[in-house]
Amino acid sequence: MKQDEPKSPVGRRSFLMTAATGGAALVASATTASAAAAAQQASAAASNHVEVSGAGKPGSDFMMDVLKPLDFEYMTINPHSDSAGLQESVINYTGNKNPELITCLHEEAAVAMAHGYFKIAGKPLAALIYSSVGLQHASMAVYSAFCDRVPVYLLLGNGLENPNSRSVQDAAAMVRDFTKWDDNPISWSHFAESAVRAYAVAMTPPTLPVAIVIDKRLQEDDIPAGTKLRVPKYSPNTPPQGDTAAVNEVAKLLVNAEYPVLAVERAARTPQGLQHIIELAELLQAGVVDTIQRMNFPSRHPLAQRDRAIREATVVLALEMPLLSRQRLKAGAKLASITAFDLFTRSNYWHFGKYQEADFTIAADAEATLPALIEAVKKLITADRRIAFEARGKKLAEQYQKDREADRVLAANGWDGSPLSTARVAAELWDQIKTKDWSLVSRSDGMSDWAWKLWDFQKYYHHIGQSGSVGVGYSNPASVGAALANKKFGRLSINLQNDGDFMFSPGTLWTAAHHQIPMLTVMHNNRAYNQEVMWTARVAAQRNRDVSRSAFGNVINSPNIDYAQLAKSMGWYAEGPIENPRDLGPAIKRALAVVEKGQPALLDTITQPN
Amino acid sequence: MTRVNIVTAVAVLLCLGIPASAQQAPPAGDAAQGKKDMVTYYCYSCHGYAAEGAEEGPRIDTNKWTQANFAAYVRKGGRSMPRYGGEKQIPDAALANIYAFLKARPANPDPQSLPLLNGK
């Protein structure tokens, strides 16, 4: 429990009054601009003008006046004294609705929930975090969101008046390497400007986390009677589109290529992006290689190809895939790239990978540029090229079928084994969810990608992609955040959960139960940090040392964690450990029945290592 | 491990030039002990508990590998396969046991016979 802060002396209050007056003066000076601009601004000012009249309206009530039009459905919180003002305004001034407070037991969960939520909802969720100690907890999740190009809106409660171990002079400094913009407002009008600007910055591609420090006194002081404050109007930025001439050049490259491939990573920023990629691929009859960081392309589309297609391609168009190095292409192949990545990036953490060395780069948002590219391609296709495309498409479809058949053969390996084959787990699940309105709210790159290989991913919300940073502790809370976004649509949210990752934030289960977020979590419980087991064994072998000691520091057994009991203790329905493959189907059926009534459920399935 | 890696692995074996007929047959191992040795020496972490195969390590198919070739490959390593160069990494007896275990495994089912892999 965090200690309460003592009240402020009068000197600080008078400083804030001066700042408020200065803010009002800024409004006055703006209206002396040119006639047209002045009329527009006056009109906007009139429509957004919030007059605070009467004594005693708390500053944080005005902060909610500013935040309300930004349409946050939820605000995650791990409570702390330095945001008590804003928290109380959310509860009593705006009635705990839009936003509704979501109680989290760890700040990493609060931010990771926002990460998962965005990838379904398409809009940010606010996270109310203690600026110092809370942000330290949250920073891993902020980094994951940054790497994954997800805009999380951080509000950082901070008190400097009576400094203590939880006060910090520059709160956002800790995460400045992996946020896009931050500010520390010193007045209410300053807060209003910065809060709206932060949202606009966050939502402009590349979409990334932002942070606003909210001073404790600014929250808790009463706004003097007669003060006029203004809520700035949010004006979304149009995503940057590629230059027309450059787009036409890329179109020529693609239409004339013998074997073009679309390499997609975060190309589908919205459901519209998914449709654009399908249209472009089908126009060109081009193979699509997907790293599945978003739901970019249907998994069972006959043009969906494996990684080898990049090595075989004569032209590769990388769409929001800045990490695709030309070293992966064969000699003589051309690499074109459309990405917003270089429009904003940081250098301390190596999320940027090796330099791409593309032959042709368009610094723009891929999804926003695709309609123009599609039109340019359409204009260039001749009857001859259409014949060539059809022949190519036929070959790609044949390769796709071969790959699918090979997957089925591999899936049958160890089918009846114990520990459970991960292919068996994925197949049993698919059998029971395929007729429902389902959504995979976790990573799919664990469990040897069996969900991706066996399920039929078509709709945008069928998959939220991977974790971004490949860091730790993402899946559990992000899946709950995505399930929260799915809840109002009545979708069935499925989380394939690694055991090691789970234990970074087990308290997230309580949040899901408390807020009645239905979802099914199926454990990939191999009782180890198995990647690290493999690496340690590999290094021991290379050094001609004893491989049999590779468990030290890597396994999660003795005792085995009972995830079913853990989940039950936090209000979930749960079964397990499940080790016999014949028990899988019936257990899934029982769990789904519970989820469909609105309760979260967990199955502790003991699986093969991969 | 991909199909390319499997092909590479087999090619490496051929390059080792170890015709089975030229060697004395290695001693047969104990299948039950071999199942335990798969865990002790961390073969399971990439290949699965019964070497049924996974993304990190392919299925070890004893129809294609003789015991001698199998042991030689493990000793030499490959592109993704760590090199278990000597007795300290894995004793000869354990290699024999593991091979015996792999040989004694039931065959994988035909995917055509599995309804869950043949539905939509």
Short mmCIF file of all heavy atoms in Angstrom, two decimals, chain A residues 360-383:
data_model
loop_
_atom_site.label_atom_id
_atom_site.label_comp_id
_atom_site.label_asym_id
_atom_site.label_seq_id
_atom_site.Cartn_x
_atom_site.Cartn_y
_atom_site.Cartn_z
N PHE A 360 14.69 0.63 -53.26
CA PHE A 360 13.71 1.69 -53.42
C PHE A 360 12.90 1.77 -52.14
O PHE A 360 12.26 0.79 -51.76
CB PHE A 360 12.79 1.31 -54.59
CG PHE A 360 12.12 2.47 -55.23
CD1 PHE A 360 12.76 3.21 -56.20
CD2 PHE A 360 10.84 2.84 -54.86
CE1 PHE A 360 12.15 4.30 -56.78
CE2 PHE A 360 10.22 3.92 -55.44
CZ PHE A 360 10.88 4.66 -56.41
N THR A 361 12.97 2.91 -51.45
CA THR A 361 12.25 3.02 -50.17
C THR A 361 11.28 4.19 -50.20
O THR A 361 11.67 5.29 -50.59
CB THR A 361 13.24 3.24 -49.01
OG1 THR A 361 14.25 2.24 -49.06
CG2 THR A 361 12.54 3.15 -47.68
N ILE A 362 10.08 3.92 -49.80
CA ILE A 362 9.10 5.00 -49.67
C ILE A 362 8.81 5.16 -48.18
O ILE A 362 8.34 4.21 -47.53
CB ILE A 362 7.78 4.68 -50.42
CG1 ILE A 362 8.06 4.47 -51.90
CG2 ILE A 362 6.76 5.78 -50.20
CD1 ILE A 362 6.82 4.10 -52.72
N ALA A 363 9.13 6.34 -47.65
CA ALA A 363 8.88 6.59 -46.23
C ALA A 363 7.44 7.07 -46.09
O ALA A 363 7.13 8.25 -46.22
CB ALA A 363 9.85 7.64 -45.70
N ALA A 364 6.55 6.12 -45.85
CA ALA A 364 5.12 6.43 -45.75
C ALA A 364 4.44 5.25 -45.08
O ALA A 364 5.03 4.17 -44.94
CB ALA A 364 4.54 6.65 -47.14
N ASP A 365 3.20 5.46 -44.68
CA ASP A 365 2.43 4.37 -44.08
C ASP A 365 1.98 3.42 -45.19
O ASP A 365 1.37 3.84 -46.18
CB ASP A 365 1.22 4.94 -43.34
CG ASP A 365 0.36 3.86 -42.74
OD1 ASP A 365 0.88 3.13 -41.87
OD2 ASP A 365 -0.81 3.72 -43.14
N ALA A 366 2.29 2.14 -45.02
CA ALA A 366 2.00 1.17 -46.08
C ALA A 366 0.50 1.08 -46.36
O ALA A 366 0.06 1.13 -47.51
CB ALA A 366 2.55 -0.20 -45.71
N GLU A 367 -0.31 0.98 -45.31
CA GLU A 367 -1.75 0.82 -45.53
C GLU A 367 -2.32 2.03 -46.27
O GLU A 367 -3.15 1.89 -47.17
CB GLU A 367 -2.46 0.62 -44.19
CG GLU A 367 -3.97 0.48 -44.37
CD GLU A 367 -4.71 0.14 -43.09
OE1 GLU A 367 -4.23 -0.74 -42.34
OE2 GLU A 367 -5.78 0.74 -42.85
N ALA A 368 -1.88 3.22 -45.89
CA ALA A 368 -2.39 4.44 -46.52
C ALA A 368 -1.96 4.54 -47.98
O ALA A 368 -2.62 5.18 -48.79
CB ALA A 368 -1.93 5.67 -45.75
N THR A 369 -0.83 3.92 -48.30
CA THR A 369 -0.28 4.00 -49.66
C THR A 369 -0.86 2.92 -50.57
O THR A 369 -0.86 3.08 -51.81
CB THR A 369 1.25 3.87 -49.60
OG1 THR A 369 1.76 4.84 -48.68
CG2 THR A 369 1.90 4.09 -50.95
N LEU A 370 -1.35 1.85 -50.01
CA LEU A 370 -1.79 0.71 -50.83
C LEU A 370 -2.89 1.06 -51.85
O LEU A 370 -2.82 0.58 -52.99
CB LEU A 370 -2.25 -0.44 -49.93
CG LEU A 370 -1.10 -1.32 -49.41
CD1 LEU A 370 -1.59 -2.31 -48.35
CD2 LEU A 370 -0.44 -2.09 -50.54
N PRO A 371 -3.90 1.85 -51.52
CA PRO A 371 -4.91 2.15 -52.55
C PRO A 371 -4.31 2.77 -53.81
O PRO A 371 -4.67 2.39 -54.93
CB PRO A 371 -5.86 3.13 -51.84
CG PRO A 371 -5.74 2.78 -50.39
CD PRO A 371 -4.29 2.39 -50.22
N ALA A 372 -3.37 3.70 -53.63
CA ALA A 372 -2.73 4.33 -54.79
C ALA A 372 -1.89 3.31 -55.56
O ALA A 372 -1.86 3.31 -56.79
CB ALA A 372 -1.85 5.49 -54.33
N LEU A 373 -1.22 2.43 -54.83
CA LEU A 373 -0.39 1.41 -55.47
C LEU A 373 -1.27 0.44 -56.26
O LEU A 373 -0.95 0.06 -57.39
CB LEU A 373 0.42 0.66 -54.41
CG LEU A 373 1.33 -0.46 -54.92
CD1 LEU A 373 2.37 0.09 -55.89
CD2 LEU A 373 2.04 -1.16 -53.76
N ILE A 374 -2.40 0.07 -55.69
CA ILE A 374 -3.32 -0.84 -56.38
C ILE A 374 -3.82 -0.22 -57.67
O ILE A 374 -3.84 -0.87 -58.73
CB ILE A 374 -4.50 -1.22 -55.45
CG1 ILE A 374 -4.01 -2.17 -54.34
CG2 ILE A 374 -5.64 -1.85 -56.22
CD1 ILE A 374 -4.96 -2.35 -53.18
N GLU A 375 -4.17 1.05 -57.63
CA GLU A 375 -4.64 1.73 -58.85
C GLU A 375 -3.54 1.81 -59.89
O GLU A 375 -3.78 1.61 -61.09
CB GLU A 375 -5.17 3.14 -58.52
CG GLU A 375 -6.48 3.14 -57.75
CD GLU A 375 -7.53 2.24 -58.39
OE1 GLU A 375 -7.83 2.40 -59.59
OE2 GLU A 375 -8.05 1.34 -57.68
N ALA A 376 -2.33 2.08 -59.42
CA ALA A 376 -1.19 2.18 -60.35
C ALA A 376 -0.92 0.82 -61.00
O ALA A 376 -0.63 0.74 -62.20
CB ALA A 376 0.06 2.67 -59.60
N VAL A 377 -1.02 -0.24 -60.22
CA VAL A 377 -0.81 -1.59 -60.76
C VAL A 377 -1.89 -1.91 -61.79
O VAL A 377 -1.60 -2.43 -62.88
CB VAL A 377 -0.80 -2.62 -59.61
CG1 VAL A 377 -1.03 -4.03 -60.11
CG2 VAL A 377 0.51 -2.54 -58.83
N LYS A 378 -3.11 -1.58 -61.47
CA LYS A 378 -4.23 -1.90 -62.39
C LYS A 378 -4.00 -1.26 -63.76
O LYS A 378 -4.27 -1.86 -64.80
CB LYS A 378 -5.55 -1.38 -61.81
CG LYS A 378 -6.17 -2.26 -60.76
CD LYS A 378 -7.47 -1.63 -60.25
CE LYS A 378 -8.06 -2.47 -59.14
NZ LYS A 378 -9.18 -1.77 -58.46
N LYS A 379 -3.47 -0.04 -63.74
CA LYS A 379 -3.28 0.70 -65.01
C LYS A 379 -2.21 0.05 -65.87
O LYS A 379 -2.20 0.22 -67.09
CB LYS A 379 -2.88 2.15 -64.72
CG LYS A 379 -4.02 3.02 -64.27
CD LYS A 379 -3.55 4.44 -63.99
CE LYS A 379 -4.73 5.22 -63.42
NZ LYS A 379 -4.31 6.31 -62.55
N LEU A 380 -1.30 -0.68 -65.24
CA LEU A 380 -0.15 -1.22 -65.97
C LEU A 380 -0.36 -2.64 -66.48
O LEU A 380 0.39 -3.13 -67.32
CB LEU A 380 1.10 -1.20 -65.07
CG LEU A 380 1.63 0.18 -64.70
CD1 LEU A 380 2.73 0.05 -63.66
CD2 LEU A 380 2.18 0.91 -65.93
N ILE A 381 -1.37 -3.31 -65.96
CA ILE A 381 -1.52 -4.73 -66.33
C ILE A 381 -2.07 -4.84 -67.75
O ILE A 381 -3.10 -4.27 -68.08
CB ILE A 381 -2.45 -5.46 -65.34
CG1 ILE A 381 -1.82 -5.48 -63.94
CG2 ILE A 381 -2.70 -6.90 -65.79
CD1 ILE A 381 -2.71 -6.10 -62.88
N THR A 382 -1.35 -5.59 -68.57
CA THR A 382 -1.79 -5.84 -69.95
C THR A 382 -2.33 -7.27 -70.03
O THR A 382 -2.19 -8.06 -69.09
CB THR A 382 -0.61 -5.70 -70.91
OG1 THR A 382 0.38 -6.68 -70.53
CG2 THR A 382 0.00 -4.31 -70.86
N ALA A 383 -2.86 -7.61 -71.20
CA ALA A 383 -3.41 -8.96 -71.39
C ALA A 383 -2.29 -10.00 -71.25
O ALA A 383 -2.49 -11.07 -70.65
CB ALA A 383 -4.06 -9.07 -72.77
#
